[in-house]
Amino acid sequence: MGSYVPSTQQERRRMLDTIGVSTIDDLYCQVPKEVKLQNLNLPQGKSELEVRSCMEALAQKNMQFTSIFRGAGAYHHYIPAIVKSVTSKEEFVTAYTPYQAEISQGVLQSIFEFQTMISQLTGLDAANASIYDGASAAAEAAAMCRDRKRQKVLVSEAVNPGVLSTIRTYCEGANTPLEVVPVNDGVTDKQALSQMLDETVSCFYMEYPNFYGQIEDATDLGELVHQAGAKFIMGCHPIAISLLKCPGECGADIAVGEGQPLGMPLAFGGPYLGFMTCTQAMVRRLPGRIVGETVDLQGKRAYVLTLQAREQHIRREKASSNVCSNQALCAMTASVYMAAMGSAGMRQTAKLCMSKASYAAGELCSIPGISQKFKGPYFNEFVTRCPSSQNILCALEEKGILGGLPLDEESILWCVTEMNSKKQIDQMVEIVREAVK
Amino acid sequence: MGSYVPSTQQERRRMLDTIGVSTIDDLYCQVPKEVKLQNLNLPQGKSELEVRSCMEALAQKNMQFTSIFRGAGAYHHYIPAIVKSVTSKEEFVTAYTPYQAEISQGVLQSIFEFQTMISQLTGLDAANASIYDGASAAAEAAAMCRDRKRQKVLVSEAVNPGVLSTIRTYCEGANTPLEVVPVNDGVTDKQALSQMLDETVSCFYMEYPNFYGQIEDATDLGELVHQAGAKFIMGCHPIAISLLKCPGECGADIAVGEGQPLGMPLAFGGPYLGFMTCTQAMVRRLPGRIVGETVDLQGKRAYVLTLQAREQHIRREKASSNVCSNQALCAMTASVYMAAMGSAGMRQTAKLCMSKASYAAGELCSIPGISQKFKGPYFNEFVTRCPSSQNILCALEEKGILGGLPLDEESILWCVTEMNSKKQIDQMVEIVREAVK
Amino acid sequence: MKLIFERSQEGRGCSILPACDVPEVDCSPEISRKAPLHLPQIAEVDISRHYTELMKQTHGVNDGFYPLGSCTMKYNPKINEEIAALPGFSKIHPLQPSHTAQGCLEVLGLAEKYLCEITGMDHMTFQPAAGAHGEFTGLLLIKAYHKSRGDTARTKIIVPDSAHGTNPASAVMAGFTVVNIPSGEDGCVDLEKLRQAVGEDTAGLMLTNPNTVGIFDKNILEITKTVHDAGGLNYYDGANLNAVMGVVRPGDMGFDVVHLNLHKTFSTPHGGGPGSGPVGCKELLSAFLPSGHVSCEEDGTYGFDAPSPRSIGSVKNFYGNFLVVVKALTYILTLGREGIKEAAQNAVLNANYLMARLSDLYDMPYAGPCMHEFVMSLEPLKKEKGVTAMDIAKALLDHGIHPPTMYFPLIVHEALMAEPTETESIDTLDGAAQTFREIYQQALDNPQSLHDAPVSTPVRRLDEVGAARNPKPTYSF
Amino acid sequence: MKLIFERSQEGRGCSILPACDVPEVDCSPEISRKAPLHLPQIAEVDISRHYTELMKQTHGVNDGFYPLGSCTMKYNPKINEEIAALPGFSKIHPLQPSHTAQGCLEVLGLAEKYLCEITGMDHMTFQPAAGAHGEFTGLLLIKAYHKSRGDTARTKIIVPDSAHGTNPASAVMAGFTVVNIPSGEDGCVDLEKLRQAVGEDTAGLMLTNPNTVGIFDKNILEITKTVHDAGGLNYYDGANLNAVMGVVRPGDMGFDVVHLNLHKTFSTPHGGGPGSGPVGCKELLSAFLPSGHVSCEEDGTYGFDAPSPRSIGSVKNFYGNFLVVVKALTYILTLGREGIKEAAQNAVLNANYLMARLSDLYDMPYAGPCMHEFVMSLEPLKKEKGVTAMDIAKALLDHGIHPPTMYFPLIVHEALMAEPTETESIDTLDGAAQTFREIYQQALDNPQSLHDAPVSTPVRRLDEVGAARNPKPTYSF
């Protein structure tokens, strides 16, 4: 049986004697007898060797694709070696929320640096120390905009369905109305939005690029939203906005997004990282942890959890959110990633994604019967119309390639990143060409 | 192009100005023009992503066997997770030989602990801070025993051929005569040894268990050697001697061995670790680094490289050996392994090896045509006679199993460790049964 | 310490990506970013050194005793990390076809089976990413349940005043009104007050048991029955499950829904090693579980349940913090049937031992055996010598011990809540007891020295008020 | 710090291995161990904490500047470590059939090809595990060569007095007699002395170029020709190759055999990250190479050369420190054609820059540009103020800088040899220069304070004499 309890039988005896009881069970004297458990129906404990073989066997039941052309919210990007090397330091892995600032300056400073990098990236003023993922960040952002008069949340239909579903759940929780703004040719229907924006609307959430990969005219939509007196929330791909007009430039009040592309593995969907930034005006509404710069009693620069008056452990039912648990390691992962890439590397990544997606789209659409579904500019993802998406995807799977996400029988959402070499793309296109013959 | 040079072009310019030259090439003014290189015929530098794919492709060209029944000097043992977790700490990986004891107490203490554990294991008095591998440790041990009168080295024929070859090379280097003591029924021929032991013999080296897996009667051989006034050197499997009579109990003057089973991966042969212990009487002849306990000027317990007067950087051509480079990380690997296993775990490992080897031998020999070649007690390895070893091994390879090492057309040296479950053994035996039908 | 931006130098960097091997596409000017982008430009060696500096100013479990009450800072086994890093888990896309992700699905399936057994629940979702996220999810299940029965008047959640702050905050997020009930003298639920509070508007009760003063509420069956009888459901906040797993199950105590903190009870790191807050429920709530619930066919293949029309939807994208679940499953397989209980028992033993070693000096407001943690009150010392819980905590920093949780629960004045966990040895506990005792003596002899603490840390007490008044959450370039 | 044995407690431990699944076999009493076995009995959490403590008292490259002369303490890229940890390398048995280890063999084949190109050699063995091990191997090649020609009178190896101590020690191990020749005033080989030393008994010359005072010997072609003309061979000690790789090749300078320190020049860690000392040679020596040399067939498959009857045999088991070669190959692929030269150039630039920043204060016994390292002499300061090289070194410890190599080379009194390497930024060099200057000033103002240094380290100066007089190399139980 495996165990991480260091104490020996003799030591337990000594401890019981000190306490003044005769068995450990005596310490459970307040547990009603009728519900005390006899035996857990679990397998027997195992040695480390056995556990490792069990778990390795499970890992081997998964298929690791050699090339991946699927995104849709989880992106296959290169993770520099320095990232894991830094974030696997035991101190960083095992430290908790830095309540004791004096012995936590390392993790506090790393969060402050993360907040700064994310603010730089989005072009907004302030950031929190991260949220669970991009979807819950979007939902929290919508909650930030609510006031007594304005309750309704508008969400573009062209957003990631998992994100939409999450916002919807949060809104239903808080009894907040939510309406979906329809999509037209792969982008938010501007006219519809315009009509839906009334004095009850608190905010509008759109994605950039959107779920279909399209780069919408965010500035334009933002102006509409602001004219109606609502807040403008952008959900953005963190690498894309190093190249594209950033949320700050588009006039966003809040920018959120899925931080997974910044150094986190695909990992069957988590842990990922929600980032969240806003204008100065909204900083006191930001949920979750925020680290701020201050000084210690000797005037030395130092960092501390701040604005805690918003938080649940002080405000309880009046808190701005219940977000609590620490995501510092994921935030640090993103920071080390951005430090390793630097501004130039981030832009290079973005450019590689864009160029390779463009090349792949061009090659795919050179196949008779396949064409791009939408006409706007795109970044790393695009949708093709094609005969029988299942045939295509099965043919690719047979060769160890994960094709795009089937949206329906006749359309596929493809994703191409810096991880896809020209050779991989060409090979994928050839297989598709054969499959649709 | 990859580069780990941080300086930018502007910074290089500034540095050149400070130095007072105009190009870096000016600093190479003493290099004769006629031999200055134009271009290296190497591939262009690569980005991290490209290098990773190149190297991963190379790794994939190797076949990873799912079960391994081969030893012969490199053993497949379980490596507890804590081992890599500790030894991958950047400080331990990148620190050099602890010349500056004041900022190196960590690594010095870890070596002191290693020396202690190895001394415990072998039952001898003192250990050095490790040698390159078991083979070079054996060769260095033989060199320790030489004096003006006694030069000749005797080595049992039943030792690992790589070790024998290494001792031979070292002896030839130093113009030392070496004679091989023949083997009889898988063990050292005691009578032959007895005859070869004369007043010119400095030492006798044997292995325990020996290359054929046999546990020789070391005490008996040691007595013979001592009677002749020579030194007795045992090369031993570090896990085996937690269960078997240890070198100290067998009367060895020096015990050496391959430390790889103590937490080091197979790694196509290296890096491994040579351990080396001796009696108090010989400690000043030990080659390589030794850490000793001392105090600092305030009386605080501290550790330091000691007995450096033996070493090449002081003694130059009069040094006891040229061993210099630091193997501290391998030594630490062994230490963490032994700490994780503890005395009980080491014995448990040894017992598992012995029991499983015995089971496998029994099952194999239940196959008509297969029998054990030698009759003595064995630990984790044994030799079978069998029809066509190549047929057997090919059949196993097809099923992803690395069979024993073929010694010749009709005998195979098998190795079984705690990594081989009964199921694996049974499967292996079934395949062998089919193959010899 | 320098900030990473202060180590940056234009033109430096790492060589991570190759040149483009397809025709380069330019972003058209109207959609191009013009805003400057100040990310660090820094060589790998300096990244390594920067984070080494930060590491040295970060106290982890590997640095020493970390008895932070209510947080269960137990040791995080290394095997868990190695398993979670296997490419066969870390490189799997969440939208791979199910038949290519059978290993991942089986991980979720097994974890659900084992955790349901431990909690006495029937089903479990792993989507919630943290404890509070789980609370929110669990409360939405309760809400959906009442709604499905047309029982829409049930809008109130009863929360004892000793509860974690997340409980009321989550209740509000889920659209409920919070009814706070005061605790009795023993820190437990005041049964009388509870009876007065329940009614036709009661959606449910949220309870931590053992509660936040470290006491197992002996009236637990009465409590849950009271709520059930009033038509409400019982929510079990699993924050303190480490005291009782293998000993008693929330499901058997009358709870209908429970969240777990895998990063507390199941040894997956908090660090930032992000959390996981799975929610288990009884059959009556299963139809409302969030999307992405794993199903197992009779032939042993795994898949996802068909979307339920009554599901509450999603609380995040995909299926939760999968790699955290991998670590928790590794831990459960390691401990197994007896080990789970052994862990709980020794968590309780350690807490009682440390309490016993301190109770002659420190005021223990609650008598009798504690569970996995206990609360001290520094109020007497504050009255006598002006030394606060904060002062004691800061003095501990100078001794290399992470202080207990300060000023929680709110119902105890000058509270320090200590939770040693089962992975600490008696040596560590004895050392800590010695330190606590010395500091107590120091408080009597020289109170000022405690106001001055810490003195050996890289920075001393911080100006938190200034930080909040003029928030500076980013570096100014 | 406690020793790990002092943390041990009978009965504690980790649960690593399963119960036996085959009939247990007992060791017969006559071959059973009776001696006690004191290995630590300790829980995983305490192993983790123990080594965390040790880590905090270990200075690595990640902790700061490490200009240890002659050791080339450059940054060790993280990608190297990740690649070497791939199971496809780490789990391969050295005695697997060649066709199942093609990747490993190709690694050795490519590394040989590239390193031969960098050194100007024709063949290479990776068997030697470290630099000194390589020296021994290379000298055995020279010995075997002369012997094969019946030239058995060649028993002497010429070694300059500036050489690393390993050179003479290795020569003796290889059965040679050492002829020391003094260096000229410029630290280089005194040509006249060399001419006098060579003769029919000359087996060869061992030389480091740039030499150990950091000077490239401009007479190198004359030197190697002198030895060749006398019938000897030239051995290149590659310890200082980092200054000239990509700029000039040992093979082109007239050397016949060379060893490399992959753990210096090719960025594989020293730490204990164990070394690798491959030996390259010209064609004339190839027949004598040790066992396990990789061959490549025309069809691209790899194997091993058939054992050569003239081979010197083995210097260790198997094929060398394979995983270290993996790291070096990763590094070579990263840097490539231009990067290798860029590294050397910047190593030289950094050394000259630091020297220039210090030469107004510190005595630089050798004029002119240095290569990758330079030697300072503290002799003037010692005469004037009694402050030694050791004092300066110990003072540096208080500033978080690893001191330069002390008291080497022997031909310079009170030597400090500094090698910054190319992976340090100008910021780091400026910071170090500032520190060196401050310490110099302190030596003038308050010499006693330097005798007292270090003051901030966990331990102060150690009693080394006592340690050597009564050696205590193990813990007493």
Side-chain angles (χ1 to χ4, degrees), chain B residues 312-370:
Chain B
Q312 34 67 31
H313 61 281
I314 308 273
R315 292 273 283 175
R316 301 179 75 84
E317 63 266 34
K318 297 190 187 67
S320 61
S321 159
N322 72 343
V323 169
C324 170
S325 203
N326 195 5
Q327 294 268 118
L329 200 65
C330 293
M332 184 182 281
T333 301
S335 297
V336 184
Y337 176 87
M338 287 187 273
M341 302 307 289
S343 314
M346 289 287 286
R347 288 209 181 96
Q348 187 192 1
T349 312
K351 222 160 167 189
L352 284 169
C353 289
M354 202 155 174
S355 302
K356 283 167 187 261
S358 167
Y359 176 75
E363 293 295 303
L364 279 171
C365 295
S366 75
I367 300 171
I370 297 187

Side-chain angles (χ1 to χ4, degrees), chain A residues 153-260:
Chain A
V153 173
L154 297 185
V155 178
S156 166
E157 194 187 343
V159 305
N160 183 294
V163 176
L164 175 54
S165 166
T166 303
I167 301 177
R168 196 187 293 280
T169 300
Y170 273 65
C171 283
E172 282 174 7
N175 304 321
T176 302
L178 176 148
E179 286 178 16
V180 173
V181 182
V183 67
N184 181 11
D185 192 21
V187 295
T188 310
D189 184 333
K190 194 175 149 186
Q191 265 196 309
L193 172 64
S194 185
Q195 284 160 9
M196 293 165 81
L197 278 164
D198 60 29
E199 70 286 352
T200 69
V201 171
S202 67
C203 63
F204 167 65
Y205 173 77
M206 54 93 66
E207 286 182 0
Y208 183 73
N210 71 21
F211 182 64
Y212 307 112
Q214 297 280 298
I215 303 168
E216 302 202 27
D217 187 343
T219 311
D220 203 26
L221 298 175
E223 275 169 17
L224 265 186
V225 173
H226 282 160
Q227 277 161 17
K231 301 288 187 203
F232 180 42
I233 310 173
M234 290 175 68
C236 42
H237 187 297
I239 293 173
I241 55 174
S242 68
L243 198 62
L244 305 180
K245 222 167 153 179
C246 68
E249 291 174 295
C250 298
D253 298 288
I254 306 176
V256 296
E258 178 49 69
Q260 177 269 333

Side-chain angles (χ1 to χ4, degrees), chain A residues 387-407:
Chain A
S388 176
S389 45
Q390 277 317 320
N391 275 359
I392 290 175
L393 295 172
C394 287
L396 289 171
E397 187 185 313
E398 268 175 35
K399 301 286 183 183
I401 300 171
L402 182 62
L405 184 75
L407 297 183

